[in-house]
Amino acid sequence: MNTRFVPENPHGGAATGGAGGGPARGAHRPSLTTIAPRFFPRDANTVEWMISDGLTPYEESVIEMEARAAAIAEARAAERIWLVEHPPLYTAGTSALAKDLIEPSLLPVFKTGRGGQFTYHGPGQRVAYVMLDLNRRKPDLRAFVHALEAWIIGTLRAFNVRAESRQGRVGVWVPRPEKGAGAEDKIAAIGIRVRRWVSFHGISINVDPDLSHYAGIIPCGIDGYGVTSLADLGWPVTMPELDAALRAAFEEVFGRTCAA
């Protein structure tokens, strides 16, 4: 399991991580439950699905996530998936090391409470903030991260991209045999925080970001591997197409959604 935890009171908080059209592009594929068991709620709960246009300032997203997570924990609000893009920036997770910030002046850097180390966000990358009540599903952080991996892998399968998780390497990876034996590039990141068994922060998938911005950091503290995107792999996927695939794969792993 590609998981790193920050130990805290399980009822207080913990962090783990590394950060229109439809998906009818491939042949029949196996159920995602062959990757991870379903992480459905025990009740008839539906998850709000919200998409923000334009670029969302990072500080605003953190304030909104924390407020929503608190409301979910107090049963005052529904669970939510929030899809955004950010301006170009780096975030430093709870395990970030100063030596992994190679170009400190290249982009703004934000310290954050999510798990993991340094990662990049910017235009052309879809960030999905995941605000789910694990008490209503399964209060198991490792199983939750496994379910997030299955969600990402299933989303990418919709575009005939074979993505995989790796033991000891946070995120989701794509084999690149054309680059040499054993070569793999990272296409998606996971970085979550859990407080009172409600998650926030989430995942990111590279659609068509400026990959040169990754040169300013060692992503997730993992050296010796590349970074890729759907565009880099030769798939000119639009953000609405990715969003449709994200929603379909999410419902297979986590259950029903509704418009926010």
Side-chain angles (χ1 to χ4, degrees):
M1 181 64 57
N2 296 330
T3 309
R4 184 175 294 110
F5 297 107
V6 175
E8 294 186 14
N9 183 328
H11 299 287
T16 180
R25 292 182 178 236
H28 174 74
R29 60 187 189 273
S31 167
L32 296 185
T33 57
T34 62
I35 303 173
R38 286 191 173 96
F39 215 79
F40 283 13
R42 291 189 294 270
D43 52 24
N45 177 58
T46 58
V47 178
E48 291 185 356
W49 192 267
M50 177 174 154
I51 303 175
S52 290
D53 296 326
L55 300 180
T56 302
Y58 186 75
E59 306 99 313
E60 292 183 13
S61 68
V62 173
I63 292 169
E64 172 64 25
M65 278 191 294
E66 292 202 354
R68 186 70 178 205
I72 293 169
E74 295 166 4
R76 295 186 288 105
E79 297 176 303
R80 172 175 287 179
I81 299 298
W82 183 22
L83 306 185
V84 305
E85 288 179 83
H86 289 305
L89 58 92
Y90 299 130
T91 63
T94 53
S95 302
L97 302 175
K99 68 179 180 64
D100 291 338
L101 182 60
I102 299 170
E103 297 286 348
S105 60
L106 182 62
L107 295 175
V109 180
F110 296 89
K111 291 185 177 180
T112 181
R114 63 157 176 81
Q117 302 186 33
F118 283 103
T119 195
Y120 167 73
H121 296 312
Q125 181 194 75
R126 176 55 88 202
V127 176
Y129 288 127
V130 181
M131 290 157 276
L132 298 179
D133 186 349
L134 304 192
N135 267 325
R136 300 167 70 175
R137 296 168 180 273
K138 182 190 294 184
D140 183 328
L141 292 178
R142 292 185 181 275
F144 179 49
V145 172
H146 199 25
L148 293 173
E149 291 171 341
W151 175 26
I152 295 169
I153 290 168
T155 298
L156 294 172
R157 278 185 182 178
F159 306 105
N160 289 332
V161 174
R162 181 169 67 90
E164 302 168 352
S165 61
R166 288 288 180 261
Q167 180 73 26
R169 275 196 269 133
V170 178
V172 172
W173 302 79
V174 177
R176 304 299 300 271
E178 71 277 12
K179 293 185 175 183
E184 294 182 327
D185 287 346
K186 189 173 186 176
I187 194 170
I190 299 172
I192 61 166
R193 187 167 185 84
V194 175
R195 181 181 296 154
R196 297 170 64 188
W197 289 114
V198 176
S199 68
F200 54 110
H201 296 281
I203 69 168
S204 62
I205 298 178
N206 289 337
V207 181
D208 190 14
D210 184 347
L211 294 179
S212 70
H213 285 160
Y214 280 96
I217 58 172
I218 297 177
C220 299
I222 302 171
D223 206 356
Y225 294 91
V227 180
T228 191
S229 66
L230 285 166
D232 182 53
L233 294 171
W235 287 104
V237 175
T238 67
M239 201 63 77
E241 286 179 316
L242 181 82
D243 292 346
L246 272 168
R247 190 167 185 174
F250 179 89
E251 290 189 339
E252 190 170 345
V253 177
F254 291 98
R256 295 183 301 167
T257 63
C258 64

